[in-house]
Amino acid sequence: MKKTSVAIAVSGLIASNAFAQMQLEEVVVTAQKRAQSLQDVPIAISAFTSDDLNRINTATLADLQYSTPNLTVSPNGRSNSSIGIRGVSDFSRNPGYDNRVGVYVDGLFVGRSAAANQATLDLERIEVLRGPQGTLFGKNTVAGAISLTTKAPTNELHGFVKAEIGNYSRQAITAMVNAPLSESLFAKVMINDTQRDGHVRNLFTGGDLNGLDDQSIRLQLRYENDTTNATLSVDRDERKAPFHGREALVDAPAYAPNPYEVRFDEPQRQDIELEGLSLVVNHSLDNGMEFSSLTGYRKTDFSNNAEEDYTDSQVITSAFSRVTSSLGEVSEHTSQEFRWVSAASDTMDYTVGLYYFDQTNESDSSAALLGGVASVSVPAKVDVTSYAAYLHGNVQLSEKLQFTGGVRYTYEKKDVQFDISDTTGLFTNASYADNFSTDDISPKLGLNYFMSDDTMLYASYGRGFKSGGWNVDFVSTLEQLAFGDESVNSAEVGIKTTLWDGRARINLAYFDAQYDDFQVRQFVELSNGGTVATLTNAGEVTSSGIEADIEVLLTENLTFWATYGYTDSEFDSFKDGGGAGIDYDGNKLADAPETTYSIAIEARFPVASGEVVAQVDYNYRDDFFTNPNNAAINTVKSYDLANARIGYEPNSGGWSVHAWVKNLADNDDIIYASRSFLGLPRGTYIEPRMTGLTLQYHFGE
């Protein structure tokens, strides 16, 4: 009896110790330009490690929107994804207008919206910073910033090959090789090729649309010694396939009313070419400070050819018969940042930086009516030069209380040359040149209270800035071509806590952001039935809400994730938003669902020298509008999405195999709805059920 009791006690103690040793892995981020634990950074951040990206089965940034509170990526075609955070979104539709969410790769800005939906290949992590990031990241981050960090070359020979097959004839292969060239010089190459047939059928040609034909390559060379490391990166990404993001939502045979069917008699394409070159140098000084130089060049080239009448009729029955559009833009920019980061200290740390940015955006867009009998073209060129200096730091006021503060000064100059030539009678004919300069001071203030080693409370105030520009688009007048700067003052309070002996991580935040001179891009209906693109400064906008990010290690083999976001984003004042005497005061912002949430659970079952891994996730998105007019034609109903993944991972780590399903229920919900140029209701359906098998082989690790 005594032996049995002792055995039970020892067994219980062993189990208890094993239970106590179960902890979530620490997540390290660089949101404040230095390596810190996610739980010590007073910013609402969703961070995804490389393991997380594999678990979620991401291909591009857009795949993270369902796992991040209050993040939206609206499908404005593959060339211009509209990214929004906390109910504030947009995309750089024309050369005179900038996006509101900055996307960065290895600390360097990627540029225009066509480059924003980055592929998530061979990454160390992704950080989604919610809310204005004006002090450390600068202009055009009035809604937030997304930072991607690639895996740097190392001094060991290793690599992997990843192959995928799936329905719609999906075939993809990704390969990476890392090799030391000497004791201090390492090289790395990563390539990817993805092919997939389209899931939308063109009843006129018999062909398919919305497939994949993507290729990418990244080359990296890294030098390291005791005090210095330097990484040279070159990358190229091509995406080309017959593509059209919208379908007519008209219940008539001429418009192919069924989901995933269209009737187009004109070629449909969206092609994107992205190129980048960067050199990042980090040098440790004798006093413990680190100096960094980030030099970058990026080029974005996209073109979009689309049919606007959504029918295959060759007969001209009205002025709006046989309408096509061609959008294209080439953007190039160079940037240079110098940064000094102080040594870690128990009393004070700081970061000082200087920034230079030079960009040229050039477009050659056009549209044709009556099969080309009448047309309009809007070539434009915008040059941007920007300078900035910033200071950010943390001061320990007491053992538990910390002050965070910073400020950024930005000066920016822009020049425009715009010509519009019209024979349709819908637009204007003019030539226009202009320039302006502006500057801004963006401060950041905050207090952080560390209740314990596991819990931090924080409260902060920050300002963001987005410069004005010109609506160089299909316009009917030059009267409102220019628009002014936009600014935001944002307050945030939050708690970050680690519970249950390190097995649970819960991060909560409340935010309230007040936007002044909010830049509003919308499509306004004309009396003749057509549409004109307008861009104006509304009066004021408020976006407020709450967010939750939760991860719990339920058992040694069971992990649970949950996110929740609530956003109330509306125009406090938007006089004459729908024309003279038609105010949009109180209307909701575009692409701003009130509620988003997700839950996911992963189970790992030990079997024969390995583990069977199974995961399922469920995601919900509330109704939202796609235009400030909040009209029914621009309304998206709430929808949900479920995904699943199961696989085998041997203990050796040399290989793995996973089967996966996206859109498990095979829903055909409309995830974007809008009014076409000709006044037709149109929409984008969620992709049908996608299934696949992924086999990955690692060597040298």
Side-chain angles (χ1 to χ4, degrees):
M1 182 70 178
K2 289 182 179 180
K3 289 183 179 179
T4 303
S5 299
V6 170
I8 292 174
V10 171
S11 166
L13 180 62
I14 293 174
S16 175
N17 288 339
F19 199 72
Q21 291 173 3
M22 291 167 44
Q23 289 188 341
L24 294 171
E25 291 187 11
E26 182 184 30
V27 178
V28 176
V29 297
T30 54
Q32 296 189 128
K33 307 301 183 182
R34 63 173 68 237
Q36 296 174 281
S37 169
L38 171 68
Q39 298 304 95
D40 293 337
V41 178
I43 301 172
I45 305 172
S46 292
F48 301 89
T49 65
S50 59
D51 288 341
D52 290 327
L53 299 177
N54 287 331
R55 173 179 59 81
I56 301 170
N57 197 22
T58 64
T60 64
L61 273 183
D63 294 323
L64 290 179
Q65 63 177 311
Y66 298 109
S67 302
T68 306
N70 290 329
L71 173 66
T72 59
V73 184
S74 297
N76 287 315
R78 304 185 70 209
S79 61
N80 266 326
S81 294
S82 177
I83 300 180
I85 295 177
R86 293 180 170 175
V88 178
S89 66
D90 224 323
F91 69 98
S92 48
R93 172 183 161 86
N94 66 58
Y97 185 68
D98 299 318
N99 27 312
R100 287 193 169 96
V101 175
V103 178
Y104 300 79
V105 175
D106 292 332
L108 292 124
F109 182 52
V110 302
R112 308 287 288 168
S113 292
N117 192 22
Q118 290 278 310
T120 57
L121 300 169
D122 196 32
L123 296 180
E124 181 179 317
R125 69 180 178 277
I126 296 177
E127 302 168 33
V128 181
L129 286 65
R130 301 189 294 277
Q133 306 297 323
T135 304
L136 283 171
F137 286 86
K139 69 186 187 76
N140 302 337
T141 58
V142 291
I146 302 177
S147 175
L148 291 76
T149 302
T150 63
K151 292 183 178 179
T154 67
N155 61 353
E156 295 183 357
L157 177 65
H158 67 274
F160 70 82
V161 177
K162 177 180 177 182
E164 288 186 340
I165 57 172
N167 61 339
Y168 293 95
S169 302
R170 178 184 178 89
Q171 298 180 53
I173 186 163
T174 305
M176 183 277 291
V177 176
N178 181 102
L181 304 181
S182 70
E183 290 186 358
S184 57
L185 190 64
F186 326 124
K188 185 177 185 181
V189 59
M190 186 278 303
I191 60 172
N192 169 265
D193 181 88
T194 300
Q195 307 285 330
R196 193 197 71 196
D197 291 344
H199 60 272
V200 175
R201 186 75 168 170
N202 188 345
L203 301 180
F204 178 73
T205 65
D208 59 74
L209 298 171
N210 296 18
L212 298 175
D213 183 5
D214 301 350
Q215 294 81 39
S216 60
I217 182 170
R218 184 192 303 132
L219 303 172
Q220 294 174 291
L221 191 65
R222 183 177 177 89
Y223 169 81
E224 278 188 11
N225 62 28
D226 292 340
T227 59
T228 305
N229 65 73
T231 304
L232 176 68
S233 296
V234 181
D235 64 85
R236 180 175 175 82
D237 189 347
E238 292 186 6
R239 306 174 192 179
K240 49 188 185 296
F243 191 93
H244 193 288
R246 308 279 196 265
E247 300 177 34
L249 304 179
V250 181
D251 190 12
Y255 293 101
N258 296 323
Y260 313 119
E261 290 183 351
V262 294
R263 289 190 181 276
F264 292 147
D265 58 344
E266 299 288 347
Q268 312 293 304
R269 290 197 69 83
Q270 284 191 358
D271 294 344
I272 308 174
E273 294 182 6
L274 310 176
E275 296 177 0
L277 173 67
S278 67
L279 176 63
V280 178
V281 180
N282 301 301
H283 177 69
S284 298
L285 304 177
D286 293 339
N287 61 2
M289 179 177 286
E290 183 172 273
F291 168 75
S292 298
S293 170
L294 295 85
T295 307
Y297 163 81
R298 293 211 69 88
K299 179 180 180 181
T300 301
D301 186 344
F302 86 83
S303 61
N304 176 79
N305 298 315
E307 180 170 320
E308 299 290 347
D309 57 30
Y310 291 85
T311 177
D312 57 10
S313 174
Q314 302 287 306
V315 180
I316 295 177
T317 58
S318 73
F320 295 137
S321 296
R322 301 193 62 194
V323 181
T324 59
S325 66
S326 176
L327 305 179
E329 181 182 291
V330 177
S331 174
E332 294 183 86
H333 75 253
T334 57
S335 63
Q336 176 63 56
E337 182 172 2
F338 295 118
R339 184 191 307 150
W340 293 264
V341 178
S342 71
S345 169
D346 293 334
T347 58
M348 182 181 72
D349 61 65
Y350 61 89
T351 300
V352 179
L354 299 172
Y355 185 72
Y356 168 77
F357 179 80
D358 185 78
Q359 182 182 57
T360 296
N361 305 320
E362 201 162 0
S363 69
D364 187 12
S365 299
S366 62
L369 280 68
L370 307 173
V373 174
S375 64
V376 56
S377 62
V378 289
K381 180 180 180 182
V382 175
D383 294 315
V384 183
T385 304
S386 181
Y387 305 88
Y390 62 88
L391 168 67
H392 182 274
N394 301 291
V395 179
Q396 204 68 33
L397 302 177
S398 69
E399 183 181 355
K400 293 182 178 292
L401 187 62
Q402 183 185 68
F403 167 78
T404 294
V407 64
R408 187 185 191 101
Y409 172 77
T410 301
Y411 170 84
E412 185 159 283
K413 184 178 184 297
K414 290 186 175 183
D415 298 87
V416 64
Q417 177 62 51
F418 173 57
D419 297 283
I420 178 167
S421 177
D422 176 57
T423 61
T424 69
L426 300 174
F427 307 99
T428 189
N429 287 278
S431 183
Y432 178 89
D434 193 15
N435 66 80
F436 79 91
S437 62
T438 187
D439 63 353
D440 178 76
I441 296 177
S442 297
K444 171 74 179 284
L445 301 170
L447 287 174
N448 316 314
Y449 183 72
F450 294 87
M451 298 177 62
S452 66
D453 291 341
D454 297 324
T455 302
M456 176 185 69
L457 300 172
Y458 68 92
S460 65
Y461 158 80
R463 174 183 164 87
F465 158 75
K466 183 175 184 286
S467 63
W470 302 272
N471 184 31
V472 286
D473 214 313
F474 300 104
V475 296
S476 57
T477 176
L478 299 185
E479 289 182 6
Q480 291 185 323
L481 198 70
F483 55 91
D485 299 345
E486 170 183 308
S487 63
V488 57
N489 293 283
S490 176
E492 180 174 314
V493 294
I495 180 172
K496 293 190 173 186
T497 184
T498 304
L499 305 171
W500 206 9
D501 294 325
R503 294 172 56 200
R505 187 159 46 225
I506 301 176
N507 296 337
L508 309 173
Y510 167 81
F511 60 91
D512 184 274
Q514 306 287 329
Y515 289 81
D516 292 319
D517 297 318
F518 189 79
Q519 298 166 4
V520 183
R521 180 190 55 79
Q522 59 180 326
F523 294 96
V524 176
E525 183 177 356
L526 299 174
S527 59
N528 58 17
T531 302
V532 65
T534 66
L535 217 169
T536 56
N537 290 100
E540 297 177 352
V541 160
T542 295
S543 175
S544 60
I546 58 175
E547 295 164 339
D549 239 325
I550 300 169
E551 182 177 0
V552 183
L553 191 58
L554 297 174
T555 70
E556 187 176 1
N557 301 314
L558 202 61
T559 307
F560 171 80
W561 294 265
T563 69
Y564 176 82
Y566 171 81
T567 301
D568 182 11
S569 300
E570 65 178 35
F571 292 98
D572 298 325
S573 174
F574 190 6
K575 303 302 181 186
D576 300 329
I582 304 175
D583 298 337
Y584 284 169
D585 300 2
N587 279 19
K588 298 295 184 181
L589 269 63
D591 302 347
E594 280 195 351
T595 302
T596 60
Y597 64 82
S598 69
I599 55 174
I601 192 162
E602 179 188 76
R604 291 179 170 269
F605 307 101
V607 294
S609 302
E611 289 181 323
V612 171
V613 183
Q615 177 183 307
V616 63
D617 61 79
Y618 174 82
N619 313 275
Y620 172 82
R621 179 146 298 176
D622 213 345
D623 331 7
F624 62 93
F625 301 104
T626 63
N627 190 294
N629 64 14
N630 291 186
I633 197 173
N634 299 313
T635 302
V636 177
K637 299 297 184 182
S638 63
Y639 66 92
D640 54 12
L641 175 68
N643 309 298
R645 181 172 178 257
I646 188 169
Y648 175 74
E649 300 174 3
N651 294 332
S652 65
W655 62 276
S656 63
V657 60
H658 297 88
W660 48 265
V661 182
K662 293 185 176 183
N663 190 2
L664 190 63
D666 201 19
N667 295 334
D668 60 358
D669 296 312
I670 294 172
I671 59 174
Y672 204 82
S674 62
R675 180 186 185 278
S676 77
F677 174 74
L678 303 182
L680 294 170
R682 61 181 183 178
T684 300
Y685 290 92
I686 197 169
E687 285 191 343
R689 181 189 293 130
M690 295 290 174
T691 61
L693 184 71
T694 302
L695 176 63
Q696 189 158 337
Y697 170 74
H698 294 263
F699 64 90
E701 290 184 303

